[in-house]
Structures are given as C-alpha cells and as structure tokens.
Amino acid sequence: MIFDSATQPERLVVMFGLKGENGQTVMVLVELDVHKDRTFVNLVTSVYGNKPAWFLDQITNGKLRYQDKKQKPRVGEPTQAAIAPGCSKQRLWS
C-alpha cells in the first residue's frame, strides 16, 4: 500500500509486506523527484517499522493513495525478509 504522508506533503509512505525484528510492519518514506547532481531521483528518507493500527488509521483518514487489489493486505501478518549472503542485519540498519 502507498499513502500520502500526513506530515510532509511532498513525501509518500510505502508499506511493505515485511516485518522487523520487533514484529512491526516495515514502511519506507520516499520523497519524489528530488534534484540531486544534475538529475532527479526518488529519495528514501527513512525506513522503520510501525504498528498495524497506524496503517489502518491512515486509511481511515483518507491517506491511502494506492492498494494492489490483486494482493491481500498484509497488515499485522508475520512475514520474513530474505537477507543477502554476507550482509548482516547490523549492516542493514546502521
């Protein structure tokens, strides 16, 4: 699912079907069309987990921009992410 940010109008919040170590759903904050070194990029500004209630509140508040209708929502469902060989969890999050 993709949401409009409630606090930063130029940013989107993307929910992934992944869980962090504490069981929270992983979300990525993205700023679109940022001018960087003579080109435009989509900039990931933050990655962290949030509780399923947060996502449901965003839907209730009209912030849902896109939902894949073919795929069942995974808010609150346990999922594991694959980590590439040689890449530690510490390296991913630091």
Side-chain angles (χ1 to χ4, degrees):
M1 286 188 259
I2 300 174
F3 303 91
D4 289 317
S5 171
T7 58
Q8 301 287 326
E10 68 280 357
R11 293 185 182 173
L12 297 176
V13 179
V14 181
M15 184 196 95
F16 285 89
L18 304 173
K19 297 286 180 192
E21 287 184 17
N22 60 1
Q24 292 185 334
T25 302
V26 174
M27 59 191 238
V28 177
L29 281 68
V30 179
E31 189 167 342
L32 302 177
D33 296 328
V34 175
H35 188 253
K36 184 84 171 162
D37 297 329
R38 297 178 289 176
T39 190
F40 287 91
V41 297
N42 295 328
L43 181 66
V44 173
T45 60
S46 188
V47 177
Y48 57 93
N50 218 328
K51 297 177 183 171
W54 183 90
F55 298 99
L56 298 174
D57 286 345
Q58 298 311 299
I59 293 169
T60 302
N61 293 330
K63 296 294 181 185
L64 181 63
R65 179 181 278 218
Y66 172 80
Q67 178 181 0
D68 185 349
K69 302 284 186 186
K70 295 177 187 174
Q71 198 170 27
K72 172 176 113 167
R74 294 186 172 185
V75 176
E77 291 183 11
T79 309
Q80 288 228 258
I83 297 176
C87 185
S88 69
K89 289 181 187 177
Q90 181 68 3
R91 190 168 148 212
L92 284 175
W93 301 109
S94 57

Coordinates of all heavy atoms in Angstrom, one line a residue:
M1 N 0.8 -1.2 0.0 CA 0.0 0.0 0.0 C 0.9 1.2 0.0 O 2.0 1.2 0.5 CB -0.9 0.0 1.2 CG -2.0 -1.0 1.2 SD -3.2 -0.8 2.5 CE -2.7 -2.1 3.6
I2 N 0.4 2.3 -0.6 CA 1.1 3.6 -0.6 C 0.2 4.6 -0.1 O -1.0 4.7 -0.4 CB 1.5 3.9 -2.1 CG1 2.4 2.8 -2.6 CG2 2.2 5.3 -2.1 CD1 2.8 3.0 -4.1
F3 N 0.7 5.5 0.8 CA 0.0 6.5 1.5 C 0.6 7.9 1.2 O 1.8 8.0 1.1 CB 0.0 6.3 3.0 CG -0.6 5.0 3.4 CD1 0.3 3.9 3.6 CD2 -1.9 4.8 3.7 CE1 -0.2 2.6 4.0 CE2 -2.4 3.6 4.1 CZ -1.6 2.5 4.2
D4 N -0.2 8.9 1.2 CA 0.3 10.3 1.3 C 0.8 10.5 2.7 O 0.1 10.1 3.7 CB -0.8 11.3 0.9 CG -1.1 11.2 -0.5 OD1 -0.2 11.2 -1.4 OD2 -2.3 11.3 -0.8
S5 N 1.9 11.2 2.9 CA 2.4 11.5 4.2 C 1.5 12.5 4.9 O 1.0 13.5 4.3 CB 3.8 12.1 4.1 OG 4.2 12.6 5.4
A6 N 1.2 12.3 6.2 CA 0.3 13.2 6.9 C 1.1 14.4 7.4 O 0.5 15.4 7.6 CB -0.2 12.5 8.1
T7 N 2.4 14.4 7.4 CA 3.2 15.5 7.9 C 4.1 16.2 6.9 O 4.5 17.3 7.0 CB 4.1 15.0 9.1 OG1 5.0 13.9 8.6 CG2 3.3 14.5 10.2
Q8 N 4.4 15.5 5.8 CA 5.3 16.0 4.7 C 4.6 15.9 3.4 O 4.6 14.8 2.8 CB 6.7 15.3 4.7 CG 7.4 15.3 6.0 CD 8.0 16.7 6.2 OE1 8.4 17.4 5.3 NE2 8.1 17.1 7.4
P9 N 4.0 16.9 2.9 CA 3.1 16.8 1.7 C 3.9 16.3 0.4 O 3.3 15.7 -0.4 CB 2.6 18.2 1.4 CG 3.1 19.0 2.6 CD 4.0 18.2 3.4
E10 N 5.2 16.5 0.4 CA 5.9 16.0 -0.8 C 6.4 14.6 -0.7 O 7.1 14.1 -1.6 CB 7.1 16.9 -1.1 CG 8.2 16.9 0.0 CD 7.9 17.7 1.2 OE1 6.9 18.4 1.3 OE2 8.8 17.6 2.2
R11 N 6.1 13.9 0.4 CA 6.5 12.5 0.6 C 5.4 11.5 0.6 O 4.3 11.8 0.8 CB 7.3 12.4 2.0 CG 8.5 13.2 1.9 CD 9.3 13.1 3.2 NE 10.5 13.9 3.2 CZ 11.3 14.1 4.2 NH1 11.1 13.5 5.3 NH2 12.4 14.8 4.0
L12 N 5.8 10.2 0.3 CA 4.9 9.1 0.3 C 5.4 8.1 1.3 O 6.6 8.0 1.6 CB 4.8 8.4 -1.1 CG 4.3 9.2 -2.2 CD1 4.4 8.4 -3.5 CD2 2.9 9.7 -2.0
V13 N 4.5 7.3 1.9 CA 4.8 6.2 2.8 C 4.4 4.9 2.1 O 3.3 4.8 1.7 CB 4.1 6.4 4.1 CG1 4.4 5.2 5.1 CG2 4.4 7.7 4.8
V14 N 5.4 4.0 1.9 CA 5.2 2.8 1.3 C 5.2 1.7 2.3 O 6.2 1.5 3.0 CB 6.2 2.5 0.2 CG1 6.0 1.2 -0.6 CG2 6.3 3.7 -0.8
M15 N 4.2 0.9 2.4 CA 4.1 -0.3 3.3 C 4.6 -1.5 2.6 O 4.1 -1.8 1.5 CB 2.7 -0.5 3.8 CG 2.6 -1.6 4.9 SD 0.9 -2.1 5.1 CE 0.9 -3.5 4.0
F16 N 5.5 -2.2 3.2 CA 6.0 -3.5 2.6 C 5.4 -4.6 3.4 O 5.1 -4.5 4.6 CB 7.5 -3.6 2.6 CG 8.1 -2.7 1.6 CD1 8.5 -1.4 1.8 CD2 8.4 -3.2 0.3 CE1 9.1 -0.6 0.9 CE2 9.0 -2.4 -0.7 CZ 9.3 -1.1 -0.4
G17 N 5.3 -5.8 2.8 CA 4.8 -7.0 3.5 C 5.9 -7.6 4.2 O 6.0 -8.9 4.2
L18 N 6.7 -6.9 5.0 CA 7.8 -7.4 5.7 C 7.7 -7.0 7.2 O 7.1 -6.0 7.5 CB 9.1 -6.9 5.2 CG 9.4 -7.1 3.7 CD1 10.7 -6.3 3.3 CD2 9.6 -8.6 3.4
K19 N 8.2 -7.8 8.1 CA 8.2 -7.5 9.5 C 9.6 -7.2 10.0 O 10.6 -7.9 9.6 CB 7.6 -8.6 10.3 CG 6.2 -8.9 10.0 CD 5.3 -7.8 10.5 CE 3.9 -8.1 10.2 NZ 3.0 -7.0 10.5
G20 N 9.8 -6.3 10.9 CA 11.1 -6.1 11.6 C 11.2 -7.1 12.7 O 10.4 -7.9 12.9
E21 N 12.4 -7.0 13.4 CA 12.6 -8.0 14.5 C 11.6 -7.9 15.6 O 11.3 -8.8 16.3 CB 14.0 -7.7 15.0 CG 15.1 -8.2 14.1 CD 16.5 -8.0 14.7 OE1 16.6 -7.8 15.9 OE2 17.5 -8.1 13.9
N22 N 11.0 -6.7 15.8 CA 10.1 -6.5 16.8 C 8.6 -6.8 16.4 O 7.7 -6.5 17.1 CB 10.2 -5.1 17.4 CG 9.9 -4.0 16.4 OD1 9.6 -4.3 15.2 ND2 10.0 -2.8 16.8
G23 N 8.5 -7.3 15.1 CA 7.2 -7.6 14.6 C 6.4 -6.5 14.0 O 5.3 -6.7 13.5
Q24 N 7.0 -5.3 13.9 CA 6.2 -4.2 13.3 C 6.4 -4.3 11.8 O 7.4 -4.7 11.3 CB 6.8 -2.9 13.8 CG 6.4 -2.7 15.3 CD 6.8 -1.3 15.8 OE1 7.7 -0.7 15.3 NE2 6.1 -0.8 16.8
T25 N 5.4 -3.8 11.1 CA 5.4 -3.8 9.6 C 6.4 -2.7 9.1 O 6.4 -1.6 9.6 CB 4.0 -3.4 9.1 OG1 3.1 -4.4 9.6 CG2 3.9 -3.4 7.6
V26 N 7.2 -3.1 8.2 CA 8.2 -2.2 7.6 C 7.6 -1.2 6.7 O 6.8 -1.5 5.8 CB 9.3 -3.0 6.9 CG1 10.3 -2.0 6.2 CG2 10.0 -3.9 7.9
M27 N 8.0 0.1 6.8 CA 7.5 1.1 5.9 C 8.7 2.0 5.5 O 9.7 2.1 6.2 CB 6.4 2.0 6.6 CG 6.8 2.7 7.9 SD 5.4 3.4 8.7 CE 5.8 5.1 8.7
V28 N 8.6 2.5 4.3 CA 9.6 3.3 3.7 C 9.1 4.7 3.4 O 8.0 4.8 2.7 CB 10.2 2.7 2.5 CG1 11.3 3.5 1.8 CG2 10.8 1.3 2.8
L29 N 9.7 5.8 3.8 CA 9.3 7.1 3.4 C 10.1 7.6 2.2 O 11.3 7.4 2.2 CB 9.5 8.1 4.6 CG 8.5 8.0 5.7 CD1 8.5 6.7 6.4 CD2 8.6 9.2 6.6
V30 N 9.4 8.0 1.2 CA 10.1 8.4 -0.1 C 9.7 9.8 -0.5 O 8.5 10.2 -0.4 CB 9.6 7.4 -1.2 CG1 10.3 7.8 -2.5 CG2 9.9 6.0 -0.8
E31 N 10.7 10.6 -0.9 CA 10.4 11.9 -1.4 C 10.7 11.8 -2.9 O 11.7 11.4 -3.4 CB 11.4 12.9 -0.8 CG 11.0 14.4 -1.2 CD 11.7 15.4 -0.3 OE1 12.2 15.1 0.7 OE2 11.7 16.6 -0.8
L32 N 9.7 12.2 -3.7 CA 9.7 12.0 -5.2 C 10.4 13.2 -5.9 O 10.2 14.4 -5.4 CB 8.3 11.8 -5.7 CG 7.6 10.6 -5.2 CD1 6.2 10.6 -5.8 CD2 8.3 9.3 -5.5
D33 N 11.1 12.9 -7.0 CA 11.6 14.0 -7.8 C 12.5 15.0 -7.1 O 12.4 16.2 -7.3 CB 10.5 14.7 -8.6 CG 9.8 13.8 -9.5 OD1 10.4 12.8 -10.1 OD2 8.6 14.0 -9.7
V34 N 13.4 14.5 -6.3 CA 14.4 15.4 -5.7 C 15.5 15.7 -6.6 O 16.1 14.7 -7.3 CB 15.0 14.7 -4.4 CG1 16.1 15.5 -3.7 CG2 13.8 14.4 -3.4
H35 N 15.9 16.9 -6.8 CA 17.0 17.3 -7.7 C 18.3 17.0 -7.0 O 18.6 17.6 -5.9 CB 16.9 18.8 -8.1 CG 17.9 19.1 -9.1 ND1 19.0 19.9 -8.9 CD2 17.9 18.8 -10.5 CE1 19.7 20.1 -10.0 NE2 19.0 19.4 -11.0
K36 N 19.1 16.2 -7.6 CA 20.4 15.7 -7.0 C 21.5 15.6 -8.1 O 21.3 14.7 -9.0 CB 20.2 14.4 -6.2 CG 21.4 13.9 -5.5 CD 21.5 14.5 -4.2 CE 22.6 13.8 -3.4 NZ 23.0 14.6 -2.3
D37 N 22.5 16.4 -8.1 CA 23.6 16.3 -9.0 C 23.2 16.2 -10.5 O 23.4 15.2 -11.2 CB 24.5 15.0 -8.7 CG 25.1 15.1 -7.3 OD1 25.4 16.3 -6.9 OD2 25.3 14.1 -6.7
R38 N 22.5 17.2 -10.9 CA 22.0 17.4 -12.3 C 21.0 16.3 -12.8 O 20.8 16.1 -13.9 CB 23.2 17.4 -13.3 CG 24.2 18.5 -13.0 CD 25.3 18.4 -14.0 NE 26.1 17.3 -13.5 CZ 27.2 16.8 -14.1 NH1 27.6 17.4 -15.2 NH2 27.8 15.8 -13.7
T39 N 20.3 15.7 -11.8 CA 19.3 14.7 -12.2 C 18.2 14.7 -11.1 O 18.4 15.3 -10.1 CB 19.9 13.3 -12.4 OG1 18.9 12.5 -13.0 CG2 20.3 12.7 -11.2
F40 N 17.1 14.1 -11.4 CA 16.1 13.9 -10.4 C 16.0 12.5 -9.9 O 16.2 11.5 -10.7 CB 14.7 14.3 -11.0 CG 14.6 15.8 -11.2 CD1 14.9 16.4 -12.4 CD2 14.1 16.6 -10.2 CE1 14.8 17.8 -12.6 CE2 13.9 17.9 -10.3 CZ 14.3 18.5 -11.5
V41 N 15.9 12.3 -8.6 CA 15.8 11.0 -8.0 C 14.7 10.9 -7.1 O 14.1 11.9 -6.7 CB 17.1 10.7 -7.3 CG1 18.3 10.7 -8.2 CG2 17.3 11.6 -6.1
N42 N 14.3 9.7 -6.8 CA 13.3 9.4 -5.7 C 14.1 9.0 -4.5 O 14.8 8.0 -4.5 CB 12.3 8.3 -6.1 CG 11.5 8.7 -7.3 OD1 11.2 9.9 -7.5 ND2 11.2 7.8 -8.2
L43 N 14.1 9.8 -3.5 CA 14.9 9.7 -2.3 C 14.3 9.0 -1.1 O 13.2 9.4 -0.7 CB 15.4 11.1 -1.9 CG 16.3 11.2 -0.7 CD1 17.7 10.6 -1.0 CD2 16.4 12.7 -0.3
V44 N 14.9 7.9 -0.7 CA 14.4 7.2 0.5 C 14.9 8.0 1.7 O 16.1 8.1 1.9 CB 14.9 5.7 0.6 CG1 14.5 5.1 1.9 CG2 14.3 4.9 -0.6
T45 N 13.9 8.6 2.5 CA 14.3 9.4 3.6 C 14.4 8.7 4.9 O 15.1 9.1 5.9 CB 13.4 10.6 3.7 OG1 12.1 10.1 3.9 CG2 13.4 11.5 2.5
S46 N 13.7 7.5 5.0 CA 13.6 6.8 6.3 C 13.0 5.4 6.0 O 12.2 5.2 5.2 CB 12.8 7.6 7.3 OG 12.9 6.9 8.6
V47 N 13.5 4.4 6.9 CA 12.9 3.1 6.9 C 12.8 2.7 8.3 O 13.7 2.7 9.1 CB 13.8 2.1 6.1 CG1 13.3 0.7 6.2 CG2 14.1 2.5 4.7
Y48 N 11.5 2.3 8.7 CA 11.3 1.8 10.1 C 10.0 1.0 10.1 O 9.3 0.9 9.2 CB 11.4 2.9 11.1 CG 10.4 4.0 10.9 CD1 9.1 4.0 11.5 CD2 10.7 5.1 10.1 CE1 8.2 5.1 11.3 CE2 9.8 6.2 9.9 CZ 8.6 6.1 10.5 OH 7.7 7.2 10.3
G49 N 9.8 0.4 11.3 CA 8.6 -0.3 11.5 C 7.5 0.5 12.2 O 7.8 1.4 12.9
N50 N 6.2 0.1 12.0 CA 5.1 0.7 12.6 C 4.1 -0.3 12.9 O 4.0 -1.4 12.3 CB 4.6 1.9 11.8 CG 4.1 3.0 12.7 OD1 3.7 2.8 13.8 ND2 4.2 4.2 12.1
K51 N 3.2 0.0 13.9 CA 2.1 -1.0 14.3 C 1.0 -1.0 13.2 O 0.8 0.0 12.6 CB 1.6 -0.6 15.6 CG 2.6 -0.7 16.7 CD 2.1 -0.2 18.0 CE 3.2 -0.3 19.1 NZ 2.8 0.3 20.3
P52 N 0.3 -2.1 13.1 CA -0.8 -2.2 12.1 C -1.8 -1.1 12.3 O -2.4 -0.6 11.3 CB -1.4 -3.6 12.3 CG -0.2 -4.4 12.9 CD 0.6 -3.4 13.7
A53 N -2.1 -0.7 13.5 CA -3.1 0.3 13.8 C -2.7 1.6 13.1 O -3.6 2.4 12.6 CB -3.2 0.6 15.3
W54 N -1.4 1.9 12.9 CA -1.0 3.2 12.2 C -1.5 3.2 10.8 O -2.1 4.1 10.3 CB 0.5 3.4 12.3 CG 0.9 4.6 11.6 CD1 1.1 5.8 12.3 CD2 1.2 4.9 10.3 NE1 1.4 6.8 11.4 CE2 1.5 6.2 10.1 CE3 1.2 4.1 9.1 CZ2 1.9 6.8 8.9 CZ3 1.6 4.6 7.9 CH2 1.9 6.0 7.8
F55 N -1.3 2.0 10.1 CA -1.8 1.9 8.7 C -3.3 2.0 8.6 O -3.8 2.6 7.7 CB -1.2 0.6 8.1 CG 0.3 0.5 8.1 CD1 0.9 -0.2 9.0 CD2 1.0 1.2 7.1 CE1 2.3 -0.2 9.0 CE2 2.4 1.1 7.1 CZ 3.0 0.4 8.0
L56 N -4.0 1.4 9.5 CA -5.4 1.4 9.5 C -5.9 2.8 9.7 O -6.9 3.3 9.1 CB -6.0 0.4 10.5 CG -5.7 -1.0 10.2 CD1 -6.2 -1.9 11.4 CD2 -6.2 -1.5 8.9
D57 N -5.3 3.6 10.6 CA -5.6 5.0 10.8 C -5.4 5.8 9.6 O -6.2 6.7 9.3 CB -4.8 5.6 12.0 CG -5.2 5.1 13.3 OD1 -6.3 4.6 13.5 OD2 -4.4 5.3 14.3
Q58 N -4.3 5.5 8.8 CA -4.1 6.3 7.6 C -5.2 6.1 6.6 O -5.6 7.0 5.8 CB -2.7 5.9 7.0 CG -1.5 6.2 7.9 CD -1.6 7.6 8.4 OE1 -1.6 8.6 7.7 NE2 -1.7 7.8 9.8
I59 N -5.7 4.8 6.5 CA -6.8 4.5 5.6 C -8.0 5.3 6.0 O -8.7 5.9 5.2 CB -7.0 3.0 5.5 CG1 -5.8 2.3 4.9 CG2 -8.3 2.7 4.8 CD1 -5.9 0.8 5.0
T60 N -8.3 5.2 7.3 CA -9.5 5.9 7.8 C -9.4 7.4 7.6 O -10.4 8.1 7.3 CB -9.6 5.7 9.4 OG1 -9.7 4.3 9.6 CG2 -10.8 6.4 10.0
N61 N -8.2 8.0 7.7 CA -8.0 9.4 7.5 C -7.9 9.8 6.0 O -7.6 11.0 5.7 CB -6.8 9.9 8.3 CG -7.0 9.8 9.7 OD1 -8.1 9.9 10.2 ND2 -5.9 9.6 10.5
G62 N -8.1 8.9 5.1 CA -8.1 9.2 3.7 C -6.7 9.4 3.0 O -6.6 10.0 2.0
K63 N -5.7 8.9 3.7 CA -4.3 9.0 3.2 C -3.9 7.9 2.2 O -2.8 8.0 1.6 CB -3.3 9.1 4.3 CG -3.5 10.3 5.2 CD -3.2 11.5 4.5 CE -3.3 12.8 5.3 NZ -3.1 14.0 4.5
L64 N -4.7 6.9 2.0 CA -4.4 5.8 1.1 C -4.4 6.2 -0.3 O -5.4 6.7 -0.8 CB -5.4 4.6 1.3 CG -5.1 3.4 0.4 CD1 -3.8 2.7 0.7 CD2 -6.2 2.3 0.6
R65 N -3.3 6.1 -1.0 CA -3.2 6.5 -2.4 C -3.3 5.4 -3.4 O -3.9 5.5 -4.4 CB -1.9 7.2 -2.6 CG -1.7 7.7 -4.1 CD -0.3 8.4 -4.3 NE -0.4 9.7 -3.8 CZ 0.2 10.7 -4.4 NH1 0.9 10.5 -5.5 NH2 0.1 11.9 -4.0
Y66 N -2.7 4.2 -3.0 CA -2.7 3.0 -3.9 C -2.7 1.8 -3.0 O -2.0 1.7 -2.0 CB -1.5 3.1 -4.8 CG -1.3 1.8 -5.6 CD1 -2.1 1.6 -6.7 CD2 -0.5 0.8 -5.2 CE1 -2.0 0.4 -7.5 CE2 -0.4 -0.4 -5.9 CZ -1.1 -0.6 -7.0 OH -1.0 -1.7 -7.8
Q67 N -3.5 0.8 -3.5 CA -3.5 -0.5 -2.9 C -3.6 -1.5 -4.0 O -4.5 -1.4 -4.9 CB -4.7 -0.7 -1.9 CG -4.7 -2.1 -1.4 CD -5.9 -2.3 -0.4 OE1 -6.7 -1.4 -0.2 NE2 -6.0 -3.5 0.1
D68 N -2.7 -2.5 -4.1 CA -2.8 -3.6 -5.1 C -4.0 -4.5 -4.7 O -4.0 -5.2 -3.8 CB -1.5 -4.4 -5.0 CG -1.5 -5.4 -6.2 OD1 -2.5 -5.7 -6.8 OD2 -0.4 -6.0 -6.4
K69 N -5.0 -4.4 -5.6 CA -6.3 -5.1 -5.3 C -6.1 -6.6 -5.5 O -6.9 -7.4 -5.0 CB -7.4 -4.6 -6.2 CG -7.7 -3.1 -6.1 CD -8.4 -2.8 -4.9 CE -8.8 -1.3 -4.9 NZ -9.4 -0.9 -3.7
K70 N -5.1 -7.0 -6.3 CA -4.9 -8.4 -6.5 C -4.2 -9.1 -5.3 O -4.2 -10.3 -5.2 CB -4.0 -8.6 -7.8 CG -4.7 -8.1 -9.0 CD -3.8 -8.3 -10.2 CE -4.4 -7.6 -11.4 NZ -3.5 -7.6 -12.6
Q71 N -3.5 -8.3 -4.5 CA -2.8 -8.9 -3.4 C -3.5 -8.6 -2.1 O -3.9 -7.5 -1.8 CB -1.4 -8.4 -3.4 CG -0.5 -9.2 -2.6 CD 1.0 -8.8 -2.8 OE1 1.2 -7.6 -3.1 NE2 1.9 -9.7 -2.6
K72 N -3.7 -9.6 -1.3 CA -4.3 -9.4 0.0 C -3.4 -8.5 0.9 O -2.2 -8.7 1.0 CB -4.5 -10.8 0.7 CG -4.9 -10.9 2.1 CD -5.2 -12.3 2.5 CE -4.1 -12.7 3.5 NZ -4.4 -13.9 4.2
P73 N -4.0 -7.6 1.6 CA -3.3 -6.7 2.6 C -2.6 -7.6 3.6 O -3.2 -8.5 4.1 CB -4.3 -5.8 3.2 CG -5.5 -5.9 2.3 CD -5.4 -7.2 1.6
R74 N -1.4 -7.2 4.0 CA -0.6 -8.0 5.0 C -0.4 -7.2 6.3 O 0.6 -7.5 7.0 CB 0.7 -8.4 4.4 CG 0.5 -9.3 3.2 CD 1.9 -9.8 2.8 NE 1.6 -10.8 1.8 CZ 2.6 -11.5 1.2 NH1 3.8 -11.3 1.5 NH2 2.3 -12.4 0.3
V75 N -1.2 -6.3 6.6 CA -1.1 -5.5 7.9 C -1.3 -6.5 9.0 O -2.3 -7.1 9.1 CB -2.1 -4.4 8.0 CG1 -2.0 -3.7 9.3 CG2 -1.9 -3.4 6.8
G76 N -0.2 -6.6 9.9 CA -0.3 -7.4 11.0 C 0.0 -8.9 10.8 O 0.0 -9.7 11.8
E77 N 0.3 -9.3 9.6 CA 0.6 -10.7 9.3 C 2.1 -10.9 9.4 O 2.9 -10.1 8.9 CB 0.2 -11.1 7.9 CG -1.3 -11.2 7.8 CD -1.7 -11.7 6.4 OE1 -0.9 -12.2 5.7 OE2 -2.9 -11.7 6.1
P78 N 2.6 -12.0 10.0 CA 4.1 -12.2 10.1 C 4.6 -12.6 8.7 O 4.1 -13.4 8.0 CB 4.2 -13.4 11.1 CG 2.9 -14.1 11.1 CD 1.8 -13.0 10.7
T79 N 5.8 -12.0 8.4 CA 6.5 -12.2 7.2 C 7.9 -12.1 7.4 O 8.3 -11.3 8.3 CB 6.1 -11.2 6.1 OG1 4.7 -11.2 6.0 CG2 6.7 -11.6 4.7
Q80 N 8.8 -12.8 6.8 CA 10.2 -12.7 6.9 C 10.9 -12.2 5.7 O 10.5 -12.6 4.6 CB 10.8 -14.1 7.3 CG 10.4 -14.4 8.7 CD 11.6 -14.9 9.5 OE1 11.8 -16.0 9.7 NE2 12.4 -14.0 10.0
A81 N 11.9 -11.3 5.8 CA 12.6 -10.8 4.7 C 13.9 -11.7 4.5 O 14.5 -12.1 5.5 CB 13.0 -9.4 4.9
A82 N 14.2 -11.9 3.3 CA 15.5 -12.6 3.0 C 16.6 -11.6 3.0 O 16.5 -10.5 2.5 CB 15.4 -13.3 1.6
I83 N 17.7 -12.0 3.7 CA 18.9 -11.1 3.7 C 20.0 -11.8 2.9 O 20.3 -13.0 3.0 CB 19.4 -11.0 5.2 CG1 18.3 -10.3 6.0 CG2 20.7 -10.2 5.3 CD1 18.6 -10.2 7.5
A84 N 20.6 -11.0 2.0 CA 21.6 -11.5 1.1 C 22.8 -12.1 1.9 O 23.1 -11.6 2.9 CB 22.1 -10.3 0.2
P85 N 23.4 -13.2 1.3 CA 24.5 -13.8 2.0 C 25.6 -12.7 2.2 O 25.9 -11.9 1.3 CB 25.0 -14.8 1.0 CG 23.8 -15.1 0.1 CD 23.0 -13.8 0.1
G86 N 26.3 -12.8 3.4 CA 27.3 -11.8 3.6 C 26.9 -10.5 4.1 O 27.7 -9.6 4.4
C87 N 25.6 -10.3 4.2 CA 25.1 -9.0 4.7 C 24.4 -9.1 6.0 O 23.4 -9.8 6.2 CB 24.1 -8.4 3.7 SG 23.5 -6.8 4.0
S88 N 25.0 -8.6 7.1 CA 24.5 -8.8 8.4 C 23.3 -7.8 8.7 O 23.2 -6.8 8.0 CB 25.6 -8.5 9.5 OG 25.9 -7.2 9.5
K89 N 22.4 -8.2 9.6 CA 21.3 -7.3 10.0 C 21.9 -6.0 10.5 O 21.3 -4.9 10.2 CB 20.5 -8.0 11.1 CG 19.7 -9.1 10.6 CD 18.8 -9.7 11.7 CE 18.1 -10.9 11.3 NZ 17.4 -11.6 12.4
Q90 N 23.0 -6.0 11.3 CA 23.6 -4.8 11.8 C 23.9 -3.9 10.6 O 23.7 -2.7 10.7 CB 24.8 -5.2 12.6 CG 25.5 -4.0 13.2 CD 24.7 -3.3 14.3 OE1 23.6 -3.8 14.7 NE2 25.1 -2.2 14.9
R91 N 24.5 -4.4 9.6 CA 24.9 -3.6 8.5 C 23.7 -3.0 7.7 O 23.8 -1.9 7.2 CB 25.8 -4.5 7.5 CG 26.4 -3.7 6.4 CD 27.4 -4.5 5.7 NE 27.4 -4.1 4.3 CZ 27.7 -4.9 3.3 NH1 27.9 -6.2 3.5 NH2 27.7 -4.4 2.1
L92 N 22.6 -3.7 7.7 CA 21.4 -3.2 7.0 C 20.8 -2.0 7.7 O 20.3 -1.1 7.1 CB 20.3 -4.3 6.9 CG 20.6 -5.4 5.9 CD1 19.5 -6.4 6.1 CD2 20.5 -4.8 4.5
W93 N 20.9 -2.0 9.0 CA 20.1 -1.0 9.8 C 21.0 0.1 10.4 O 20.6 1.0 11.1 CB 19.3 -1.6 10.9 CG 18.3 -2.6 10.4 CD1 18.4 -3.9 10.4 CD2 17.2 -2.3 9.6 NE1 17.3 -4.5 9.8 CE2 16.6 -3.5 9.2 CE3 16.6 -1.1 9.1 CZ2 15.4 -3.6 8.5 CZ3 15.5 -1.2 8.4 CH2 14.9 -2.4 8.1
S94 N 22.3 0.1 10.2 CA 23.2 1.1 10.7 C 23.7 2.1 9.7 O 23.4 2.0 8.6 CB 24.4 0.5 11.4 OG 25.1 -0.4 10.6

